[in-house]
């Protein structure tokens, strides 16, 4: 990687500053086809201590111009959300509805056209299990969107696609269609128009109930604050989670306040931390994780394995 200084760098520095972020570094990368990209490392602007060391990366095509009327609002929103997400102890970590703590890493942006002849756009990345034990379980994934679906997306770049891609991956894990392994081949994750309502003009991944959303908030707080964050607060009103759960940030905050009243978490503004009462339910959350992991493992017809197939 080499240090990069371009007009895009200047634009990003201004946009990051307006979002309360600091542009730590800009380096030159390569996309899937070895075309140049710009990789920006962003950090909280006024953070101190351990929080000042947290960073997130944003990768864009080298000559991408987000200062256009149809692109700038989404970029501004993405950076503003990243500034809040960087207050999490592990900004790259998420939880699935079924109870798996995971992180998303090593994505190679932007999307590229499929090299197999399929009429799709592809982006590669990896998902890792984050149970606090440095588990080797992970999944290499190849996320694809059809040309029809691509018409919904303002640009095939990270800020415009990351949220719905991460949520599509979480949904795929929930359905048991991604296996976390110690080593293995890249697994497909299709992103189709079934995740998008043209009538409502929004993404819909899961129809959740009040009970399932409450369960999710406890799972998230236990894993991301209690296990991975040494009880530091996490952003409980993340719009990315609201999209995944088909709810609103305001509703998530309201539910978090209810759980704070029950002593299961402490709530300060939009951030929640685990309490001893929540941590005491560790066995329950680990059992939930084990069950979710079991769902991802392929099953076999044992009679066929033993050679008893009816030919």
């Amino acid at each position: 990687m080499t240090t990069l200084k371009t007009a895009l760098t200047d634009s990003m520095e201004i946009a990051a500053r307006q979002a309360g972020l600091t542009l730590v570094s800009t380096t030159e990368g390569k996309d899937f086809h070895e075309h140049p990209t710009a990789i920006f490392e962003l950090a909280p602007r006024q953070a101190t201590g351990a929080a000042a060391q947290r960073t997130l990366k944003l990768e864009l095509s080298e000559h991408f111009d987000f200062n256009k009327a149809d692109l700038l609002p989404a970029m501004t929103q993405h950076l503003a959300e990243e500034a809040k997400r960087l207050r999490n102890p592990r900004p790259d970590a998420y939880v699935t509805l079924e109870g798996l703590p995971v992180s998303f890493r090593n994505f190679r942006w932007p999307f590229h056209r499929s090299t197999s002849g399929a009429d799709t756009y592809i982006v590669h990345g990896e998902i890792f299990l984050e149970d606090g034990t440095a588990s080797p379980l992970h999944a290499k994934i190849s996320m694809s969107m059809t040309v029809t679906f691509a018409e919904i997306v303002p640009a095939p770049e990270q800020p415009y696609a990351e949220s719905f891609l991460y949520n599509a991956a979480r949904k795929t894990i929930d359905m048991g269609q991604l296996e976390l392994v110690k080593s293995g081949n890249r697994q497909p994750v299709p992103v189709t128009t079934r995740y998008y309502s043209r009538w409502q003009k929004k993404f819909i991944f899961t129809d959740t109930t009040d009970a399932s959303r409450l369960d999710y908030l406890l799972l998230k707080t236990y894993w991301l604050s209690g296990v991975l964050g040494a009880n530091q607060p996490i952003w409980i009103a993340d719009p990315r989670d609201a999209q995944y759960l088909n709810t609103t940030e305001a509703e998530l905050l309201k539910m978090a306040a209810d759980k704070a009243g029950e002593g299961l978490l402490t709530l300060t503004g939009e951030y929640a931390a685990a309490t001893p009462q929540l941590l005491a339910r560790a066995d329950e959350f680990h059992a939930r994780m084990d069950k979710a992991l079991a769902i991802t493992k392929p099953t076999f017809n044992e009679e066929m394995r033993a050679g008893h197939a009816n030919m």
Side-chain angles (χ1 to χ4, degrees), residues 245-265:
L245 301 172
N246 194 23
T247 187
T248 65
E249 300 98 279
E251 185 63 22
L252 292 178
L253 265 179
K254 179 179 178 296
M255 290 184 165
D258 291 341
K259 289 303 177 183
E262 296 175 15
L264 292 170
L265 52 85

Side-chain angles (χ1 to χ4, degrees), residues 199 246 303:
W199 176 62
N246 194 23
E303 289 192 358

Side-chain angles (χ1 to χ4, degrees), residues 227-298:
V227 175
L228 301 180
N231 296 344
Q232 297 176 66
I234 58 166
W235 190 22
I236 207 70
D238 191 333
R240 193 165 287 177
D241 288 337
Q243 183 190 80
Y244 173 52
L245 301 172
N246 194 23
T247 187
T248 65
E249 300 98 279
E251 185 63 22
L252 292 178
L253 265 179
K254 179 179 178 296
M255 290 184 165
D258 291 341
K259 289 303 177 183
E262 296 175 15
L264 292 170
L265 52 85
T266 59
L267 187 65
T268 304
E270 296 183 355
Y271 292 81
T275 64
Q277 187 175 336
L278 182 65
L279 297 177
R281 295 171 58 174
D283 289 347
E284 171 190 337
F285 296 123
H286 282 264
R288 183 86 171 260
M289 179 187 70
D290 291 340
K291 182 180 178 180
L293 272 176
I295 293 173
T296 70
K297 297 182 184 302

Side-chain angles (χ1 to χ4, degrees), residues 9 164 180 292 301:
T9 307
F164 72 74
L180 301 182
N301 186 314

